[in-house]
Amino acid sequence: MMILRIKKLQLLCAICMILQLVCYKWIIPFHFIAVLLSVIIILNQRFFRVIQLQYHFYLIGLYLFRLWVMSIEAVYLLQLVYVVLCLYIAVMLILFSFHCIL
């Protein structure tokens, strides 16, 4: 039961990742919410073996990368890399969460 709840949190995390790309003005709050959900999932993984947990560690690293990119003036290539990584992580989280929910 709890693993199903964690998988739903993973799905919510992936939706936040996609919403940050759609609603560009809210990019940091959506990514921050996704990172907080990832921290909750990581803390609970000790008790419940959640598959594909590495994407949540990638998500936290991606958040730190985004903060670093924001501190640089004009780096369009790094922003493109950020968008591609966000889409990849979001799609993988959606696939893994649907695999467990269905």
Side-chain angles (χ1 to χ4, degrees):
M1 184 68 171
M2 188 62 167
I3 292 179
L4 189 62
R5 185 176 295 164
I6 289 175
K7 289 298 176 180
K8 288 180 181 177
L9 284 176
Q10 273 189 334
L11 181 63
L12 186 62
C13 181
I15 290 170
C16 285
M17 291 289 291
I18 291 175
L19 280 176
Q20 71 160 336
L21 298 176
V22 174
C23 305
Y24 191 73
K25 292 185 178 185
W26 293 87
I27 191 166
I28 292 297
F30 278 130
H31 202 149
F32 185 68
I33 292 169
V35 168
L36 286 179
L37 288 173
S38 291
V39 168
I40 291 170
I41 292 169
I42 289 170
L43 291 176
N44 285 329
Q45 69 92 23
R46 186 179 315 164
F47 304 110
F48 308 102
R49 297 291 177 195
V50 179
I51 59 172
Q52 304 303 335
L53 190 69
Q54 70 265 20
Y55 290 101
H56 292 284
F57 287 112
Y58 295 156
L59 189 73
I60 293 171
L62 195 61
Y63 182 69
L64 297 175
F65 176 73
R66 179 64 191 170
L67 292 178
W68 178 70
V69 167
M70 286 178 59
S71 68
I72 300 175
E73 293 287 324
V75 283
Y76 299 111
L77 179 63
L78 291 177
Q79 289 178 349
L80 179 66
V81 168
Y82 172 77
V83 169
V84 168
L85 287 175
C86 278
L87 286 174
Y88 172 73
I89 291 173
V91 167
M92 294 308 285
L93 285 175
I94 288 172
L95 288 177
F96 289 128
S97 59
F98 274 136
H99 172 71
C100 192
I101 290 173
L102 297 177

